[in-house]
């Protein structure tokens, strides 16, 4: 299934299925993007990042895709597990420089059904 | 490895009172940040600091003051708390790594502040 930021803030998937979380970013000059996972009562935790000179980057069970033409970012989670249940945020770095100042999206809640 | 810690974790105060939220990191990271997170929203930047004695405003800095006399500490003060400042506050730090990829921000556990 898919979720698009503000319009579908909750994504519910069956354990073992693949999840796709989408994010539309705001600034065409943004050069660095990060996905964070936030579990209830905790701070955001880094998942994966990607530079604007890349279209795709893979990690362990996660893949980030970047489409600069339509300013769209997606996070794919393979074989979703109950421990993946959390709120997922995309964030963008707007140049100049990589000061760490990020603009965060609204977040998408991922619910994994056992 | 203690990482980044925040105190207190929970705070209830009254309108008009001054409140200081503490943030401490053990990595000697140059950059530190304060964000607030409101229900149903992402994080919004309040203040950031590039190094000791260097601070700058973020998106929602009104009503907040920061200081950074030591690299490892970055306290956030609400000079006269208002109900609209009820929120969860997160501190973060990042060390420019020189990697081609960007620099990862590490977040603290957050402080839940309620202003009555």
């Amino acid at each position: 299934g898919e979720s698009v930021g503000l319009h579908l803030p909750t994504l519910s998937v069956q354990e073992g299925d693949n999840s796709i979380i989408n994010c539309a970013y705001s600034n065409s000059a943004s050069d660095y993007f990060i996905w964070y996972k936030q579990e209830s009562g905790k701070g955001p935790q880094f998942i994966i990042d990607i530079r604007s000179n890349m279209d795709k980057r893979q990690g362990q069970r996660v893949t980030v895709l970047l489409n600069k033409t339509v300013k769209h970012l997606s996070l794919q989670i393979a074989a979703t597990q109950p421990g993946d249940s959390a709120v997922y945020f995309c964030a963008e770095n707007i140049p100049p420089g990589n000061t760490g100042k990020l603009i965060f999206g609204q977040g998408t809640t991922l619910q994994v059904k056992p | 490895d203690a990482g980044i810690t925040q105190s207190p974790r929970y705070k209830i105060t009254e309108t008009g009172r001054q409140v200081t939220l503490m943030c401490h990191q053990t990595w000697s990271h140059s950059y530190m940040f304060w964000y607030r997170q409101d229900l149903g929203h992402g994080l919004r930047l309040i203040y950031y600091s590039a190094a000791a004695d260097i601070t700058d405003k973020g998106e929602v800095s009104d009503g907040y003051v920061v200081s950074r006399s030591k690299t490892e500490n970055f306290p956030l003060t609400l000079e006269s708390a208002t109900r609209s400042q009820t929120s969860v506050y997160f501190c973060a730090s990042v060390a420019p790594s020189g990697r081609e990829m960007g620099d990862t921000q590490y977040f603290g556990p957050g402080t839940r502040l309620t202003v009555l």
Side-chain angles (χ1 to χ4, degrees):
Chain A
E2 291 192 18
S3 174
V4 180
L6 291 171
H7 303 292
L8 293 173
T10 301
L11 174 65
S12 185
V13 301
Q14 202 71 37
E15 180 179 359
D17 287 352
N18 296 332
S19 302
I20 300 175
I21 301 172
N22 296 304
C23 177
Y25 63 92
S26 59
N27 194 315
S28 57
S30 296
D31 60 358
Y32 174 57
F33 305 89
I34 312 171
W35 279 101
Y36 284 94
K37 172 186 180 183
Q38 186 177 26
E39 297 175 284
S40 181
K42 296 183 178 180
Q45 180 182 14
F46 172 89
I47 303 174
I48 192 169
D49 55 1
I50 189 168
R51 274 260 176 231
S52 58
N53 60 355
M54 303 171 71
D55 298 322
K56 179 179 179 180
R57 190 160 187 246
Q58 290 184 295
Q60 186 178 13
R61 280 202 309 120
V62 295
T63 300
V64 55
L65 299 177
L66 176 62
N67 186 330
K68 295 179 288 294
T69 302
V70 294
K71 293 190 288 185
H72 185 267
L73 195 67
S74 69
L75 176 70
Q76 300 178 0
I77 304 174
T80 312
Q81 302 169 0
D84 294 328
S85 294
V87 179
Y88 289 81
F89 293 97
C90 64
E92 58 184 298
N93 175 76
I94 299 175
N98 187 14
T99 62
K101 290 172 61 179
L102 302 174
I103 303 298
F104 283 81
Q106 299 292 322
T108 297
T109 300
L110 177 64
Q111 297 176 342
V112 182
K113 296 176 288 186
Chain B
D1 185 359
I4 185 165
T5 57
Q6 293 183 236
S7 62
R9 293 296 312 280
Y10 302 91
K11 176 73 176 178
I12 299 175
T13 190
E14 295 178 337
T15 301
R17 290 190 178 269
Q18 183 179 82
V19 177
T20 295
L21 310 183
M22 304 302 294
C23 177
H24 177 78
Q25 50 106 352
T26 60
W27 297 302
S28 297
H29 285 173
S30 300
Y31 285 87
M32 296 188 73
F33 308 84
W34 274 106
Y35 294 90
R36 61 176 288 173
Q37 184 177 34
D38 301 301
L39 189 64
H41 289 77
L43 285 79
R44 291 183 291 171
L45 182 65
I46 305 172
Y47 264 98
Y48 72 102
S49 170
D53 297 321
I54 301 174
T55 63
D56 205 351
K57 296 180 179 180
E59 179 187 0
V60 289
S61 60
D62 288 347
Y64 302 94
V65 175
V66 293
S67 62
R68 186 130 181 245
S69 57
K70 292 183 178 181
T71 300
E72 60 267 29
N73 296 323
F74 191 36
L76 175 73
T77 297
L78 288 67
E79 294 186 298
S80 179
T82 65
R83 290 182 180 174
S84 64
Q85 293 177 309
T86 293
S87 188
V88 180
Y89 291 83
F90 289 100
C91 179
S93 71
V94 64
S97 64
R99 297 185 298 143
E100 179 180 348
M101 201 57 65
D103 303 307
T104 303
Q105 283 198 29
Y106 296 93
F107 285 82
T111 295
R112 184 174 296 274
L113 175 68
T114 302
V115 182
L116 301 177

